[in-house]
Amino acid sequence: MAYRGTENPPHCPEEHTVRATHVPATGIVNVEQWPEPEATRDGEFVARVVAASVCGSDLHSALHGTLHPRGPELAGYPGHEGVGVVVSSRSEKFPVGTPVLCVPPGELGGTFAEFILLDEDHAVALPPEVGPEDLTTMRRYMMAQQMGTCLYAMNLYWPREVPERHAGTCVIMGAGSAGLFFLQDALLRGFEQVIVSDTQQHRLDIARRLGARTVLVPDESLPEVVSELTGNAGADLVIEAVGSDALRAEAVEVVAHRGIVGWFGLYENFDPAPVPIYEVFRKCVRLQGSVAAQSEPGLVSFHEAVRRIRDGEVDVDYCLGPVHTLEETGQVLRIAERGGDGNVKFTITP
């Protein structure tokens, strides 16, 4: 629901503009003036963005060559994680003053902006006691956006309605915010052990505190650790949460016979990627991708993520890293690209 215009932000009187990011080409992230969004249809509303968060897929989109064809036309692109407060509305469900979790279509974004246009199918009302002026609480609930995509994916990888499946070992490649959300959900789903790998020790320290057996790669070999801890059987479920072709192939290596590999990390580029097809056939592996959680009817997974945060069932405070201005978005993406400098998540405040 973000603004869709021409190749560059259109010119209009300054009093009718808002600040938002503009990605005219791969590797370039500017902040420009865009037309102020307006709710013109029933069910639409405009929210003032209180905070937005950087997702790993933003790095691929803005920096790594998977720029959406319409990306240069979109205000606030590629940001798609955010929370805000409704300031004008044509929706009975989201009246003015409602604090909301923004759930725009991920490939279009829109949260790296002062204001965002949404509709009833792309937002979740936060608990009424949440005050938009309480930045810390709003930032906690902001984590429900990415957590919701993880819950949606896990329902594809390991649906609860298959009770006879043995939840033995789950391997999660990547201890970024998504990987750590997957870790907590895997434990809630009853996995006996969860193994998390990453190249960053500070992230693995969090994973260990949350209950995982951790593997610091490349110092340790993930296949060797998985083999040792599973008696050479392999993992029942392996989730690639980085977005690496090499790790997707390694996931097939460490998964068990008739196991499941969940591909969550965004593709590196638009080119075909190699798949160890012999191993897939030999092990009878199921490969399961996950996309378009924001189109889930009723946004069930996002509502569940909000509930878990409200009820204290999950820990998200490790995501409350540094706060940056909108003008620092490009710089923050570069920091995240090199591993976060000790931080799991970054907040952008327009």
Side-chain angles (χ1 to χ4, degrees), residues 77-125:
Y77 178 88
H80 54 275
E81 301 178 3
V83 284
V85 57
V86 178
V87 294
S88 65
S89 178
R90 294 190 58 172
S91 165
E92 294 183 2
K93 185 177 179 181
F94 293 92
V96 171
T98 305
V100 294
L101 175 71
C102 305
V103 193
E107 63 180 4
L108 300 180
T111 60
F112 292 160
E114 291 181 285
F115 297 88
I116 184 172
L117 175 65
L118 296 166
D119 61 27
E120 295 176 348
D121 295 327
H122 292 96
V124 173

Side-chain angles (χ1 to χ4, degrees), residues 143-349:
M143 300 307 137
Q145 197 285 336
Q146 187 175 66
M147 188 187 299
T149 67
C150 294
L151 298 182
Y152 175 83
M154 277 294 277
N155 287 331
L156 295 174
Y157 306 154
W158 202 266
R160 293 181 183 275
E161 58 268 22
V162 189
E164 70 274 8
R165 181 176 293 152
H166 177 60
T169 298
C170 175
V171 168
I172 299 168
M173 296 171 152
S177 51
L180 295 170
F181 291 149
F182 277 123
L183 160 61
Q184 295 187 72
D185 189 57
L187 292 172
L188 288 172
R189 289 176 193 251
F191 277 91
E192 296 169 1
Q193 65 176 344
V194 182
I195 304 169
V196 177
S197 66
D198 202 279
T199 61
Q200 305 288 324
Q201 185 61 57
H202 71 276
R203 294 179 175 180
L204 293 178
D205 290 342
I206 299 170
R208 187 179 301 111
R209 176 172 61 80
L210 293 173
R213 164 63 163 91
T214 61
V215 180
L216 179 64
V217 293
D219 296 355
E220 295 180 271
S221 166
L222 179 61
E224 290 179 6
V225 171
V226 173
S227 179
E228 176 186 350
L229 294 180
T230 64
N232 298 320
D236 302 280
L237 172 65
V238 182
I239 301 172
E240 198 286 327
V242 176
S244 161
D245 290 342
L247 291 184
R248 278 184 276 266
E250 187 174 66
V252 175
E253 179 182 352
V254 302
V255 76
H257 179 72
R258 293 189 178 276
I260 298 167
V261 171
W263 285 346
F264 184 81
L266 194 67
Y267 37 85
E268 292 183 51
N269 51 59
F270 296 126
D271 298 328
V275 175
I277 197 69
Y278 170 73
E279 288 297 309
V280 171
F281 270 86
R282 186 180 68 84
K283 291 184 174 182
C284 197
V285 174
R286 173 157 71 84
L287 304 176
Q288 177 68 60
S290 177
V291 70
Q294 298 88 347
S295 298
E296 179 185 29
L299 298 178
V300 174
S301 299
F302 298 93
H303 281 277
E304 172 64 10
V306 167
R307 186 200 65 76
R308 291 187 185 189
I309 293 173
R310 182 198 66 198
D311 294 349
E313 292 183 8
V314 292
D315 183 359
V316 299
D317 281 1
Y318 56 82
C319 292
L320 303 184
V323 177
H324 293 266
T325 65
L326 185 62
E327 281 70 21
E328 296 174 301
T329 302
Q331 173 188 346
V332 171
L333 289 174
R334 293 295 184 185
I335 296 173
E337 182 183 35
R338 64 175 182 251
D341 292 357
N343 298 292
V344 174
K345 205 76 168 165
F346 295 87
T347 296
I348 305 293
T349 53

Side-chain angles (χ1 to χ4, degrees), residues 6-148:
T6 54
E7 182 178 356
N8 296 300
H11 297 288
C12 59
E14 188 170 339
E15 64 269 21
H16 298 297
T17 64
V18 298
R19 292 158 44 247
T21 53
H22 178 222
V23 183
T26 296
I28 302 174
V29 182
N30 300 321
V31 174
E32 308 283 359
Q33 295 290 332
W34 294 80
E36 183 177 354
E38 180 182 1
T40 60
R41 302 175 182 175
D42 290 343
E44 291 183 338
F45 61 89
V46 174
R48 175 176 60 83
V49 179
V50 173
S53 190
V54 172
C55 176
S57 64
D58 297 337
L59 309 183
H60 288 311
S61 299
L63 305 180
H64 299 161
T66 60
L67 180 68
H68 191 278
R70 299 181 63 192
E73 306 173 9
L74 305 175
Y77 178 88
H80 54 275
E81 301 178 3
V83 284
V85 57
V86 178
V87 294
S88 65
S89 178
R90 294 190 58 172
S91 165
E92 294 183 2
K93 185 177 179 181
F94 293 92
V96 171
T98 305
V100 294
L101 175 71
C102 305
V103 193
E107 63 180 4
L108 300 180
T111 60
F112 292 160
E114 291 181 285
F115 297 88
I116 184 172
L117 175 65
L118 296 166
D119 61 27
E120 295 176 348
D121 295 327
H122 292 96
V124 173
L126 298 181
E129 65 271 17
V130 175
E133 70 284 350
D134 184 348
L135 182 59
T136 298
T137 299
M138 290 289 281
R139 292 173 68 202
R140 287 194 179 101
Y141 278 105
M142 179 168 62
M143 300 307 137
Q145 197 285 336
Q146 187 175 66
M147 188 187 299

